[in-house]
Each structure stands twice: as structure tokens, then as C-alpha cells.
Amino acid sequence: AMHFLRANAKQFLEQAKFSMQRGFHNLVLFNVEQSMQLNLKYVLYLLTGEFPKTHKLSELFRLVRDLGDPCNLYTFYESNKDFIAIVEYSYISSRYLPESFNRDDAERALKLGEDFDRIVEECERVMRSY
């Protein structure tokens, strides 16, 4: 099964918390992005038996929406779209650009990641009873 996706998503979230404690704000956003990406791929796997290669959060959310979105993940996306775009951008910038995010960005990202992780946790339960 694809439980490694879920396990890794949780580990990236732990890394984000650790980075927050160390004041590594860019890494908080990067790790939250990874966590959300893997959580979305996990949900897509539960829905379809496979997961897509794309790593764009916005695209992954749209794929979930198009599959009927049993856990209302797209609602979460809609409510947080602007900041999710920043988190999505941090994934690219962490590699190529000297982008630097501040403590507020990092705290907001961490909260986003934790909220999303809880939603996916709930989603797992819903999906098991499908």
C-alpha cells in the first residue's frame, strides 16, 4: 500500500516544526509544501489507486476536486488559496532563488500544514468506511 506517502507527509511536518524551532523559516515553508504534497498524493491514491507525478499543490487540489472530493479538501484550498500559492512557490524558490520568508510566514505555513494534516487524518477514516 501507499502508507509511506502518509508517513512521509507526517515526517515532513515534524521537520517543519523542528525548522521553526531553529528559526529556519524558508525550510518551514519547504517542509510544509512537501507534507501537503504527499498528503494530497495519498488522498489521490485512496481515490484512484495511483498518484500523479505532478507536484503542484494547486493541480493536486484540482484533481481531488474532479474526483468528487469526498473530504472537502477543495474547500480548504479555496479558503487558503493565496497562502497555498506562496507555499507552492517556496518549493521552487527553495532550490533556485534566495527567497527569504519571515517568522510570520513560517508560523502561518506551519498552521496550514497542521490543519491540512488533521483534515487528511479525518479523510482517511471517511475513506476506510467507503
Side-chain angles (χ1 to χ4, degrees):
M2 290 291 153
H3 290 293
F4 75 89
L5 289 169
R6 182 78 181 112
N8 289 354
K10 285 188 157 308
Q11 284 178 17
F12 275 114
L13 196 55
E14 284 305 307
Q15 272 302 125
K17 290 176 198 165
F18 176 72
S19 297
M20 188 74 212
Q21 289 164 356
R22 301 296 299 270
F24 301 156
H25 301 140
N26 290 18
L27 285 178
V28 174
L29 275 89
F30 174 77
N31 285 307
V32 164
E33 192 285 335
Q34 294 286 281
S35 176
M36 290 181 71
Q37 189 187 133
L38 291 172
N39 269 329
L40 281 161
K41 286 181 175 178
Y42 179 65
V43 170
L44 285 162
Y45 174 78
L46 293 177
L47 286 167
T48 65
E50 52 192 26
F51 62 92
K53 293 292 171 264
T54 181
H55 39 237
K56 284 196 69 177
L57 295 179
S58 50
E59 251 170 72
L60 292 166
F61 274 109
R62 275 192 286 278
L63 286 169
V64 167
R65 180 196 61 193
D66 296 346
L67 288 163
D69 192 10
C71 306
N72 297 317
L73 301 188
Y74 202 76
T75 311
F76 178 85
Y77 174 69
E78 293 271 79
S79 328
N80 296 287
K81 201 166 20 188
D82 296 347
F83 196 69
I84 287 172
I86 291 168
V87 169
E88 187 173 83
Y89 172 73
S90 77
Y91 174 74
I92 304 154
S93 69
S94 67
R95 287 172 163 58
Y96 309 113
L97 304 170
E99 186 58 65
S100 93
F101 297 100
N102 62 30
R103 189 181 176 81
D104 288 348
D105 295 330
E107 281 173 353
R108 196 172 165 195
L110 192 53
K111 186 186 178 326
L112 187 80
E114 289 174 332
D115 290 348
F116 191 63
D117 196 73
R118 271 192 295 277
I119 291 169
V120 171
E121 189 104 359
E122 197 48 49
C123 190
E124 275 185 294
R125 279 196 281 278
V126 171
M127 301 289 285
R128 275 196 218 106
S129 58
Y130 247 42

